Amino acid sequence: MRASATAHSGYVIGQVDSRVFGSFVEHLGRAVYTGIYEPDHPSADANGMRQDVIDLVRELDVPIVRYPGGNFVSAYYWEDGIGPVDERPTRLDLAWHSSESNAVGIHEFADWADAAGTEMMLAVNLGSRGLDPARNFLEYVNHPGGSYWSDLRKKNGRDEPWNVKMWCLGNEMDGPWQTGQKTADEYGRIAFETAKAMRAYDKSLELVVCGSSTPTMPTYPQWEATVLDHTYDVVDFISLHMYFKNHAADTATYLAEAARLDDYIGTVAGIIQFIKAKKRSKRDVYISFDEWNVWYHSEEQDKKVLEGNSGWPEAPALLEDIYNFEDVLQVGCILNTFIRRADVVKVACLAQLVNVIAPIMTVEGGPAWRQTTFWPFLFASKYARGLAFDLAVDCPGYATDAFADVPYLDVAAVKSDVDGALTVFIVSRHETETIDFTLSLEGFGDRQIIEDKVIAGHDLRATNGPDGEPVAPMDGAGATVGAGRLAVSVPPLSYRMIRLGA
Ligand code: AHR
């Protein structure tokens, strides 16, 4: 089978914002406790943070991390997480049926973010709380001093403000599982008033309003239209979330889900334009896809805790999906979709970062290790920051129940801001055939292959673990560049990343 594409240096989709390779740490399961924070761990730094985890986060080069939730934020009292640790209250977390010690709060997380070389994206509670705690939190975090909340921060040991720019106005407020779920009008009003107050403090903040928690919500897509109608003038992003599942072990259908993601982005982009036109507005609102990942492997084992049959455990193992090789392909397709929608998706957060549906796992008291999905995320994070190109792809496809024509090859290309290399990301959905793929390069000058990595040949259910990481990239072979053309044979069910240097 053959497929071809053309990359033209003038056919630019847009700049891939580095924040598309963001992630998420929630007070959920072992993400914080025994994930990023484990004071008794042999690698713990002076703040009790696991250095082995920090090293892996640095390897992924995550530019921004959303915190502290997620569902958790919808009943969170941020004030519980400040002041002397031994005086902080233990609270019942309704979202994850767990006990929250508050040993980690904003100070500890900010120190961790600093150590991990990432920025914070903070969420305020618009579920059980509202405007006042949100503006107080903002003052605590960003005001230099001379006010009640900023002076309290200083008293608690942090002199300089953290100057956090991105703030999420609640989380998934359309979801019945949320503490303080709201209708679109109720949420739109509280989000508008909270955004107004936060902007009254600092006009330059970047505010994210909640879109639907998934495109299967009954209120989608009217939710987006109503919420943006209330908030368009005061927000910068609308947040989308989507999780991917393959309960039926049907690879073809599973790997076609990126088409649903693309539709979702396209629909919301259209709603943004509709509201912009309706309001005769000159400002633009973009998409913050601040939760996405594969999430289904752990669902069965989580039921006991989530249904309340384990009491209120502290940091129980929850959402500990162990990813397989098939998920490498899925994550590769999702990242390619974000690259192809770089015109409108300006922030995205892999949910989550450590232990909870995460690329990085830890053993309490033991090693940290890389899941299979660590790799496609790492390659995109390292090499997809730059200009994304609209590739004219000509590739045979297949039909699923939901989609008429899903191309066997999923391709995206980005020219790096850093070194000008053109990186091509290719995922093959074909289950049996090798595809001979050629990419014509127009306007990119002479190019040569400077790196070629492939993840292929594994059993679809192959996984990594603390004792070994067999699903990892290898050097690719056989690709050639000549006469303005990249030629590569793409094996069935494979991930490939080829960098073409100038
Ligand atoms: O990431 C896990 C959970 O998924 C988040 O807490 C919530 O926002 C979403 O439903």
Side-chain angles (χ1 to χ4, degrees):
M1 185 177 289
R2 290 181 186 283
S4 64
T6 301
H8 190 294
S9 61
Y11 297 167
V12 174
I13 297 170
Q15 177 74 24
V16 182
D17 194 309
S18 61
R19 293 178 297 182
V20 166
F21 309 108
S23 191
F24 177 29
V25 170
E26 177 170 1
H27 283 251
L28 188 186
R30 299 193 309 115
V32 172
Y33 306 108
T34 74
I36 63 169
Y37 176 78
E38 192 179 332
D40 296 333
H41 191 270
S43 82
D45 66 12
N47 298 319
M49 297 295 172
R50 285 183 66 146
Q51 188 62 45
D52 56 351
V53 172
I54 289 172
D55 291 344
L56 287 172
V57 175
R58 280 190 167 273
E59 194 178 333
L60 284 178
D61 195 5
V62 179
I64 194 161
V65 177
R66 186 165 171 254
Y67 175 86
N71 298 343
F72 172 80
V73 82
S74 292
Y76 182 51
Y77 275 54
W78 67 267
E79 306 89 327
D80 289 346
I82 60 174
V85 174
D86 52 6
E87 291 172 19
R88 296 183 192 175
T90 293
R91 302 275 189 195
L92 300 185
D93 165 23
L94 303 176
W96 303 108
H97 220 284
S98 310
S99 289
E100 171 56 53
S101 72
N102 285 298
V104 171
I106 183 63
H107 290 259
E108 293 76 17
F109 185 73
D111 286 344
W112 176 84
D114 214 26
T118 193
E119 272 180 38
M120 295 188 283
M121 172 180 180
L122 295 177
V124 298
N125 172 359
L126 294 189
S128 70
R129 304 181 92 188
L131 191 159
D132 267 339
R135 73 187 177 96
N136 296 343
F137 191 28
L138 173 63
E139 183 182 315
Y140 189 89
V141 169
N142 278 7
H143 196 59
S147 69
Y148 177 80
W149 291 106
S150 58
D151 288 345
L152 185 58
R153 181 196 68 237
K154 286 169 179 267
K155 188 171 155 236
N156 287 334
R158 170 77 188 195
D159 212 41
E160 293 300 310
W162 288 293
N163 285 322
V164 172
K165 282 286 165 217
M166 282 203 82
W167 293 79
C168 303
L169 302 165
N171 176 71
E172 296 188 349
M173 298 306 318
D174 59 336
W177 56 86
Q178 216 64 229
T179 307
Q181 182 200 6
K182 295 182 170 43
T183 65
D185 279 311
E186 287 166 349
Y187 172 64
R189 283 289 305 135
I190 191 175
F192 174 74
E193 290 300 334
T194 306
K196 216 172 70 184
M198 293 174 84
R199 280 206 189 290
Y201 172 70
D202 178 357
K203 284 191 186 54
S204 74
L205 296 179
E206 295 184 278
L207 302 180
V208 188
V209 74
C210 295
S212 297
S213 4
T214 106
T216 54
M217 295 301 288
T219 46
Y220 167 79
Q222 184 58 48
W223 173 277
E224 278 77 2
T226 305
V227 165
L228 281 177
D229 214 359
H230 283 285
T231 60
Y232 196 90
D233 294 334
V234 291
V235 300
D236 303 279
F237 297 92
I238 182 158
S239 146
L240 303 187
H241 294 175
M242 187 168 170
Y243 290 101
F244 298 76
K245 304 179 191 304
N246 187 12
H247 285 300
D250 172 355
T251 301
T253 302
Y254 180 54
L255 294 182
E257 283 296 283
R260 195 181 310 281
L261 170 64
D262 192 57
D263 280 358
Y264 187 21
I265 294 168
T267 302
V268 176
I271 294 168
I272 293 171
Q273 288 308 312
F274 167 69
I275 299 293
K276 181 180 178 184
K278 186 178 170 198
K279 291 186 176 289
R280 313 289 189 259
S281 176
K282 288 196 171 62
R283 60 198 309 278
D284 286 310
V285 167
Y286 293 100
I287 290 173
S288 170
F289 216 109
D290 46 41
E291 286 188 33
W292 69 269
N293 206 345
V294 175
W295 173 11
Y296 75 99
H297 298 284
S298 61
E299 278 174 3
E300 217 28 62
Q301 80 210 29
D302 288 347
K303 280 189 180 154
K304 197 167 170 224
V305 175
L306 297 182
E307 287 169 2
N309 297 326
S310 306
W312 296 90
E314 269 189 56
L318 276 177
L319 281 61
E320 298 206 4
D321 274 38
I322 300 301
Y323 294 123
N324 58 32
F325 170 56
E326 186 181 51
D327 300 325
V328 170
L329 308 176
Q330 182 69 288
V331 166
C333 291
I334 296 167
L335 288 162
N336 279 357
T337 307
F338 290 147
I339 291 169
R340 289 191 296 262
R341 297 315 309 253
D343 53 330
V344 61
V345 177
K346 296 292 180 188
V347 177
C349 300
L350 173 65
Q352 299 193 8
L353 189 56
V354 186
N355 286 336
V356 169
I357 40 174
I360 300 168
M361 299 297 289
T362 69
V363 177
E364 187 176 352
W369 53 279
R370 296 173 192 80
Q371 292 246 41
T372 60
T373 52
F374 185 95
W375 296 109
F377 187 82
L378 174 131
F379 288 132
S381 173
K382 273 174 84 164
Y383 301 127
R385 301 177 189 201
L387 283 185
F389 294 95
D390 192 1
L391 308 177
V393 180
D394 182 8
C395 180
Y398 63 96
T400 66
D401 286 349
F403 300 100
D405 188 19
V406 182
Y408 282 117
L409 292 187
D410 192 298
V411 192
V414 178
K415 185 174 162 199
S416 163
D417 287 338
V418 181
D419 61 3
L422 182 71
T423 302
V424 188
F425 302 92
I426 309 167
V427 177
S428 175
R429 300 182 169 100
H430 207 295
E431 296 186 46
T432 52
E433 280 188 47
T434 292
I435 301 178
D436 291 323
F437 175 61
T438 54
L439 176 68
S440 299
L441 303 164
E442 294 184 14
F444 291 98
D446 283 342
R447 294 271 159 176
Q448 57 191 333
I449 295 174
I450 53 173
E451 194 174 356
D452 180 355
K453 294 287 181 196
V454 65
I455 312 176
H458 299 279
D459 185 284
L460 283 175
R461 310 285 159 233
T463 56
N464 292 343
D467 301 323
E469 298 173 6
V471 183
M474 315 269 286
D475 285 333
T480 58
V481 190
R485 233 171 54 135
L486 165 73
V488 54
S489 290
V490 186
L493 296 175
S494 60
Y495 170 91
R496 190 119 180 201
M497 188 277 314
I498 300 178
R499 295 180 66 221
L500 303 171

